[in-house]
Amino acid sequence: MWKHLPLLLSVASSALASPSLVRRQENATTIPSVVERGINTECKKCPFSLCPNVEAYGGGDNVTLECWASGTNVNGDVTWLRTTTGCYITQWDLIEYQGDYTQALPHCGDIAEVYKKTHGKTKYYTECNIYPAIRGDHIKMYKYGIDLVLTCYTDDAEPWYKTTSNCYVSSTLLELVQGKDEIEPCGPVPFMEKKMREPDPEPEVQAKAPSFPKSDPAPTSHLARRFLYDTAVGEDEAHCYQENNNSSAIVKTYVWDEKVTPQCGTYLEGADRRTENIMLFTIDFCYVMDKLLDPNLVDSVVRSQYFPHCEDFVDEK
Ligand SMILES: *[C@@H]1O[C@H](CO)[C@@H](O)[C@H](O)[C@H]1NC(C)=O
Ligand SMILES: *[C@@H]1O[C@H](CO)[C@@H](O)[C@H](O)[C@H]1NC(C)=O
Ligand SMILES: *[C@@H]1O[C@H](CO)[C@@H](O)[C@H](O)[C@H]1NC(C)=O
Ligand SMILES: *[C@@H]1O[C@H](CO)[C@@H](O)[C@H](O)[C@H]1NC(C)=O
């Protein structure tokens, strides 16, 4: 069954406590703290979400804080702390402090938001994920032909780029990025999920790296890096239509055994949402019936679970 990704909307009240009654600690030079359970977090060059990462921490990791600074608002909290390793972590991701860091620790000074930028453009429908992998939660679903500002790249042969929406796009879905040399590596990236950045009064269970269904050998293949996959025509020919409607104009006709590379899937317009009505939007920017191809979309468990629906790509910035 080709599943829709669930839309999770969590509404929860802020768990921030007021520290107003706590006495100023005298002459503290450093304060030990611990990363909140269930949270993975990034320790950054400057106290803003788009600053490059210096270190990645998991829940329960110990940190030593030496000063505070104002930075990106994370769930209503603009306080970031510099650790003794010289990077900045949001107060939101630390266990609650029975005091006020802005009183107990020196001010680090006004720290500027500094990160590099270059230009990118989506070539195909492009998911922008909180974490640089196809199974990362989606922050944006870009249409094709969209101009993006890229801020850093991951250390992969086919890198992921972080956009100014603080999510990662795969280079395989972009026009060639001319200005890669103008930006920096993103640094270590911990496994992230949307819920780690949402207000939640209950500590989450310890986050685990997600696992793929056991039956699929694909996680180590290129599918772990991008969603374009190669299939071929299994019939004499397969028309590729302008719309997801097999009465619309024929844009091109693939012949037997010709390679077809889908970007996303949808269902034949007006038809039941059944496997035999799946239409795939290819890198030729037209729709072909999945049932005429071999292998089919649902022949892979990973594709069945994660291949994107064309309707989901709505973002233009
Ligand atoms: C705290 O720091 C101030 C200024 O640096 C200093 O004069 C004072 O002696 C310190 N107090 C203690 C208890 O160390
Ligand atoms: C953090 O420090 C505590 C106390 O020293 C220790 O028990 C714990 O194992 C440390 N946690 C990690 C992840 O190193
Ligand atoms: C269009 O798709 C429907 C449903 O699968 C099918 O019954 C019909 O024969 C198709 N028409 C063409 C021209 O392929
Ligand atoms: C499919 O396209 C044809 C021709 O453009 C149109 O008449 C028909 O209404 C469309 N079908 C659906 C379900 O939109």
Side-chain angles (χ1 to χ4, degrees):
M1 183 68 199
W2 185 34
K3 287 192 286 193
H4 275 277
L5 296 171
L7 274 181
L8 295 175
L9 292 175
S10 104
V11 181
S13 60
S14 167
L16 276 182
S18 163
S20 58
L21 295 178
V22 179
R23 198 168 52 89
R24 175 184 176 138
Q25 273 184 250
E26 282 184 49
N27 293 16
T29 49
T30 62
I31 297 176
S33 185
V34 179
V35 176
E36 186 73 73
R37 290 275 164 199
I39 296 281
N40 291 334
T41 192
E42 301 162 329
C43 198
K44 293 174 168 289
K45 269 191 186 170
C46 45
F48 297 89
S49 298
L50 293 178
C51 300
N53 297 347
V54 176
E55 292 177 344
Y57 295 127
D61 281 356
N62 296 308
V63 290
T64 305
L65 310 175
E66 61 179 18
C67 63
W68 67 274
S70 295
T72 300
N73 183 331
V74 179
N75 294 318
D77 189 348
V78 297
T79 303
W80 289 62
L81 288 314
R82 188 168 75 208
T83 72
T84 48
T85 56
C87 56
Y88 296 83
I89 190 167
T90 165
Q91 173 167 251
W92 178 261
D93 286 345
L94 298 173
I95 57 167
E96 204 173 316
Y97 175 55
Q98 300 303 313
D100 181 350
Y101 285 128
T102 67
Q103 298 293 311
L105 285 173
H107 188 213
C108 310
D110 292 332
I111 312 297
E113 180 175 21
V114 178
Y115 59 88
K116 307 251 170 61
K117 294 180 193 173
T118 194
H119 175 255
K121 186 171 197 149
T122 59
K123 184 175 186 183
Y124 303 122
Y125 280 139
T126 302
E127 298 173 319
C128 197
N129 297 347
I130 193 169
Y131 175 74
I134 56 169
R135 60 206 185 276
D137 289 345
H138 312 315
I139 300 296
K140 294 272 185 174
M141 299 289 276
Y142 293 120
K143 296 181 171 184
Y144 46 86
I146 300 299
D147 287 318
L148 300 175
V149 176
L150 309 177
T151 66
C152 65
Y153 55 85
T154 65
D155 182 23
D156 296 295
E158 290 178 332
W160 294 73
Y161 290 95
K162 183 148 89 176
T163 79
T164 44
S165 293
N166 200 20
C167 54
Y168 297 85
V169 292
S170 170
S171 56
T172 57
L173 303 173
L174 303 180
E175 305 282 3
L176 181 66
V177 176
Q178 303 285 358
K180 187 182 173 198
D181 293 346
E182 296 159 18
I183 55 177
E184 300 173 76
C186 298
V189 182
F191 171 66
M192 294 290 294
E193 287 175 300
K194 271 188 187 173
K195 66 180 182 186
M196 293 183 192
R197 286 183 179 159
E198 287 165 351
D200 190 339
E202 296 299 319
E204 301 282 348
V205 292
Q206 180 70 42
K208 294 195 304 255
S211 57
F212 280 91
K214 284 190 197 68
S215 57
D216 199 297
T220 56
S221 79
H222 70 279
L223 263 181
R225 304 245 69 90
R226 61 175 193 172
F227 248 133
L228 302 177
Y229 69 94
D230 292 339
T231 179
V233 178
E235 306 285 332
D236 286 347
E237 58 177 30
H239 296 313
C240 201
Y241 300 94
Q242 196 166 352
E243 317 280 343
N244 58 332
N245 171 345
N246 62 5
S247 306
S248 66
I250 295 169
V251 172
K252 71 177 287 176
T253 298
Y254 299 111
V255 297
W256 181 80
D257 208 29
E258 187 174 347
K259 186 169 96 173
V260 176
T261 306
Q263 301 185 43
C264 59
T266 184
Y267 292 97
L268 186 67
E269 193 166 78
D272 292 344
R273 299 189 147 231
R274 284 202 306 242
T275 303
E276 63 265 32
N277 290 329
I278 291 174
M279 290 199 100
L280 300 172
F281 186 63
T282 79
I283 60 171
D284 298 311
F285 298 90
C286 56
Y287 296 85
V288 65
M289 300 280 322
D290 179 57
K291 67 182 177 189
L292 304 179
L293 306 177
D294 184 18
N296 297 128
L297 169 68
V298 297
D299 288 343
S300 152
V301 176
V302 173
R303 290 199 299 264
S304 298
Q305 295 197 340
Y306 297 103
F307 198 65
H309 288 248
C310 302
E311 294 79 357
D312 294 341
F313 293 94
V314 294
D315 291 312
E316 300 189 353
K317 60 185 167 104

